Amino acid sequence: MTDTAPSPAGTANSTRALTIAALGTLLTLMAFTAPLATINSTAADLMSDAAGRTWILSSMSIGLAAALLTTGTVADDFGRRRTFAVGAAVLAVGAIACAVSPNTLIFVVARIVQGLGGAAVIASSLGIIAHTHPAGPVRAKASGVWGASVGAGIALGPLLAAVLDRWASWREAYVVLTIATLALAVAAHLLVEESRSDAPRGLDPIGALLLATGIAALLAALVEGRQGWTAVTPIVLFVLAALLLAAFVVLELRSATAMLDLALFRHPPFLAATVAALATGGGIIALMSYMPGFLGTVLGIDALGAALLLFGWSATSVVTALLARRLPASLSGRAQLAVGLVGVAIGMVMLTGLSETASWPRLLPGLLVAGVASGVLNAALGREAVASVPAGRGGMGSGANNTARYVGSAIGVTVVAVVAVPAGANEAGGLVHGWNTAALVTAAISVLGAVVVAASRSRR
């Protein structure tokens, strides 16, 4: 079945496809955020040092960012259902490997595998939705559901991990994710109709390899750099990343079967969606990734309490994403992205001004405001990722958009780590000051993204 001949099966097929696509995204985000609430117990069990703890939190981002664009193109050309089901199975393999990991190295490798599988799931999910839901109000509603699944995954991952860690150990969360993702792979194979682009671009294996290794080297450099920016390892990785990514750009400009049409960056809707995704990762996702550890270290809030506070932000985004379809039709996708980024920035500014004696109610208003704005943003990102690329290339659009989100997240987490924990800031007062500064910096990243999005007007 091609994109030019949508299935006549009707509402039942569309509902099944949307449910499977949303559940896949939810489980991927649950896997992505699960270690946030249990980093202390996980690191202690695996006997991880400071660098190991950083890798535990960052490793899945490498797999996601490195494979999203590639798997999106594969999904469009060779089948979205097949790519989704295989991705879910790989995600399950990574999860069970995490559950039985004896040390930090095995756990980190397993997390990268989870990222590779999750990339296939996320990239193909929006392609499945675009194929089964025609452009207009129907797709807007479906995009809202997909956006809600992003927030739900972020909300439930730390909560599941914290509850199971208190009841048994951190490992049980990965067992649950293994069972759920295997069941989803089977359900996708049985219930989702296969679809692919009617104008395949063909494989670009060298481009895929250059992009994956370039992004992996860049993210690894950011992770290693947190232990010391003048060390040999991060410098070599940064140079390697620059060379590989430059080679990728040159290849894509000359290739007749380019994996990513770089001319799309001259297309204002695509540029706006990509910049918004980058600012989302570098802004609110980066700050929220740091928050659970900060709450436990400085404010004495346990893992479950931190997960519940994170739930306040992400659950609010779920509700808002579902309601986003009720926004007036006159509000363009670009305007919705810009408004969402500004709202997120306002919420993060409200999280500043903390003192050493602050308690959790002080954080709640800012988290709720940021949650409402994040819901608006997530719903618009899902829709614009597909709408901003040529028909039949929804997987590529999803892959490019989510690659920007996770690269932004990796950069933002590094910025937050440097700003929030300055050299010698081991006292509570220094860490609180670092949090206040980090919240302002991430708010500025969101505002900058909003400015670029607002300036990305379509040419007449």
Side-chain angles (χ1 to χ4, degrees), residues 6-396:
S7 168
T11 306
N13 280 344
S14 330
T15 302
R16 287 198 299 267
L18 176 58
T19 301
I20 296 295
L23 285 174
T25 302
L26 181 144
L27 288 173
T28 300
L29 269 296
M30 285 182 68
F32 181 69
T33 57
L36 294 180
T38 59
I39 180 60
N40 292 332
S41 56
T42 303
D45 192 13
L46 298 176
M47 295 181 289
S48 308
D49 57 13
R53 290 168 67 95
T54 302
W55 273 103
I56 286 171
L57 292 175
S58 304
S59 45
M60 189 170 172
S61 292
I62 292 177
L64 280 166
L68 272 162
L69 187 55
T70 303
T71 53
T73 301
V74 169
D76 285 335
D77 285 0
F78 296 98
R80 299 175 184 117
R81 180 190 66 185
R82 182 180 295 111
T83 304
F84 184 99
V86 171
V90 173
L91 184 61
V93 169
I96 196 62
C98 286
V100 300
S101 294
N103 55 50
T104 305
L105 176 61
I106 300 299
F107 184 84
V108 166
V109 171
R111 290 284 288 168
I112 293 174
V113 171
Q114 279 190 297
L116 296 174
V121 170
I122 291 177
S124 55
S125 66
L126 278 176
I128 289 171
I129 291 172
H131 170 71
T132 53
H133 295 76
V138 174
R139 187 178 294 174
K141 180 179 179 180
S143 297
V145 173
W146 184 87
S149 73
V150 173
I154 293 172
L156 295 177
L159 202 56
L160 173 71
V163 169
L164 291 178
D165 188 39
R166 178 174 287 191
W167 172 66
S169 79
W170 60 270
R171 296 178 185 271
E172 273 63 34
Y174 296 95
V175 175
V176 171
L177 288 170
T178 299
I179 296 169
T181 46
L182 281 177
L184 185 69
V186 174
H189 179 73
L190 296 176
L191 300 177
V192 177
E193 179 183 68
E194 185 61 283
S195 66
R196 56 181 62 85
S197 172
D198 60 342
R201 295 178 67 88
L203 281 177
D204 181 16
I206 298 177
L209 180 63
L210 288 172
L211 179 66
T213 52
I215 290 179
L218 172 63
L219 300 193
L222 291 170
V223 174
E224 284 294 313
R226 293 176 220 171
Q227 315 306 318
W229 296 102
T230 58
V232 173
T233 300
I235 291 174
V236 170
L237 286 170
F238 275 125
V239 171
L240 179 62
L243 293 174
L244 289 169
L245 293 175
F248 169 75
V249 170
V250 171
L251 179 69
E252 296 301 283
L253 289 173
R254 296 181 176 180
S255 175
T257 59
M259 182 172 59
L260 174 64
D261 183 359
L262 296 180
L264 284 171
F265 285 99
R266 297 198 297 268
H267 182 48
F270 181 83
L271 179 62
T274 304
V275 170
L278 190 70
T280 299
I284 188 65
I285 293 178
L287 188 66
M288 293 299 100
S289 297
Y290 174 74
M291 188 179 76
F294 168 77
L295 294 176
T297 302
V298 179
L299 302 185
I301 298 174
D302 65 12
L304 183 56
L308 287 171
L309 267 179
L310 196 63
F311 183 83
W313 161 66
S314 49
T316 305
S317 77
V318 171
V319 176
T320 310
L322 291 173
L323 296 175
R325 69 180 187 275
R326 300 184 183 277
L327 291 171
S330 58
L331 186 66
S332 67
R334 178 179 59 83
Q336 192 172 331
L337 291 172
V339 168
L341 286 169
V342 170
V344 163
I346 292 171
M348 288 190 286
V349 169
M350 293 172 65
L351 295 174
T352 63
L354 295 189
S355 67
E356 296 174 50
T357 58
S359 57
W360 67 265
R362 169 66 179 77
L363 294 165
L364 200 55
L367 291 173
L368 294 178
V369 169
V372 170
S374 294
V376 172
L377 198 52
N378 287 335
L381 281 172
R383 185 177 68 250
E384 295 302 304
V386 173
S388 61
V389 296
R393 308 307 299 179
M396 183 193 71

Side-chain angles (χ1 to χ4, degrees), residues 275-276 279 334 337-343 345 443-456:
V275 170
R334 178 179 59 83
L337 291 172
V339 168
L341 286 169
V342 170
I445 290 172
S446 297
V447 170
L448 180 60
V451 170
V452 175
V453 168
S456 301

